[in-house]
Amino acid sequence: MYQSVQEKILVLDFGSQYTQLIARRIRELNVYCEIYPFNHFPDPDEGVRGVILSGSPSSVRDEDAPSPDLLKIKGLLPLLGVCYGAQFLVHNFAGEVLPSRTREYGRANLVYINDQDPLLKNIKPGTQVWMSHGDTIVKMPQGFEITGSTADVKAGAYHITGEKTWGIQFHPEVYHTTDGRKILENFVIGICGCSGSWTPGSFAESTIASLKMQIGQDKVILGLSGGVDSTVAASLLDKAIGKNLTCIFVDNGLLRKDEFKKVMESYRGLGFNVVGVNAGQRFLDKLKGVSEPEKKRKAIGKVFIEVFEEEAHKVKDVKWLAQGTIYPDVIESVSVNGPSATIKSHHNVGGLPEKMHLKVVEPLRLLFKDEVRKVGQALGLPDIIVNRHPFPGPGLAIRILGGISREKLEILKDADEIFIEGLRKHGLYDSVWQAGAILLPVQSVGVMGDERTYENAIVLRAVGSTDGMTADWSHLPYDFLGMIANEIINKVKGINRVVYDISSKPPSTIEWE
């Protein structure tokens, strides 16, 4: 049911590496939440049911320690301080926080639990928790009651008498805290009284209703990429405004083999009002002689904007530009430390909205990547789209190291298709976050038949991840890798060597450029 007031939890970010994870865990409980920097959060509206203070790499004793103004929160709304958040409440209300005598990092167990405490309801003594702090609480302020302790940390958890304020010196959001999900559920459902009704289906329903009100009878254009984000955004808009949405899908010549044709057929099958633009040669001409990765990205972005603008001008009376922006991008732009110095140019469409005097609509700006997929499933989109691996905006241009030519593109497309279709055929595709082939500017000696060869090397790359921020290489079966390598060498002219990338992110990136 569409709700005019969305119940939610606010998470105030002090710069912790785990802040997004807190939000993800709360959303897994079907409770909506938003992340704000500790020094840039709105006054709580009637939808706010509770507030969580995140951890931080800072110490509360630092001269420039993060210090939020909680005047409109503490004692008025349920409040949970996590790690730094817990220490901040103690430090600022006449308690004492000092450096730990022993570094408190890693697994620990709560040896004492007050089983009458609402936050620790149904949590048994001995439960494992995850510590990550260099300071510890040594003196509790008046009215602060200890509700949980480990062998080394007496104030492992506490409650402020007479108000709905709690603090914990461990991280409930990480998997290492065995009952972390239950503790968060006790807070957001039990203490804050959230209904737990924020589901992918309810999000889709409320977003469609909101888009109808926001856009009315105006016309909207959207650049489709073939990926899940832009496709789900298009589906929401299509259900809201129908033919007043025009989708533009640009073939930059850097897509996977036959992908433009396959994706266009999928979009038309979904009933989208979509315009396909074959501009591959235009992109290749611009990339001629370009080998440096960032120059490639900028060249591709420049041509994309030119092509998109030309096609968009053919649609009369457009008022809105739709984008597939997702929540990590929104958080990034208002993070504690400010936006990142480098933002990949292909993630946006430059100055198009201002240049074309368009307003921007972003239907997915509240969702994490995995939530986008769930909304796509709720909308009935086919699995081949919803479960599609992420694919870089510059396409195969950043999977050909060095200069780009049509011959290199054809070699890479053929090798990549063998790898990806092999993953599908052997039931491995859905167990991998992202996969692809990379063509190296390296030739090596080989033997085919009785002849010596001197040909190119291909790298196969497959990783597991949840959001692309970190990733581990996928442990694909040796027999499968051997079979794929053999097929590529036998079928793709110009390749005589195949290797598998076993680097994780960090320190390596998922893409090679």
Side-chain angles (χ1 to χ4, degrees), residues 215 217-221 241 243-245 315-321:
I215 296 168
Q217 298 301 311
D218 292 349
K219 290 185 178 179
V220 180
I221 52 171
I241 62 172
K243 296 303 178 184
N244 278 344
L245 170 68
V315 184
K316 302 300 180 185
D317 303 319
V318 171
K319 299 287 180 65
W320 298 83
L321 172 68

Side-chain angles (χ1 to χ4, degrees), residues 235-255:
S235 183
L236 288 166
L237 284 158
D238 179 66
K239 292 182 184 302
I241 62 172
K243 296 303 178 184
N244 278 344
L245 170 68
T246 299
C247 301
I248 299 172
F249 182 30
V250 177
D251 180 7
N252 57 14
L254 306 167
L255 303 174

Side-chain angles (χ1 to χ4, degrees), residues 3 8 14 29 41 103 111 140 150 215 280 286 320 382 411 425 437 452 482-483 500:
Q3 294 178 314
K8 59 191 170 187
F14 294 94
L29 297 168
F41 62 92
R103 288 163 63 86
V111 294
M140 299 293 284
T150 70
I215 296 168
K286 195 71 175 180
W320 298 83
I411 289 172
K425 181 179 176 182
R452 177 182 182 275
M483 180 194 66
Y500 188 55

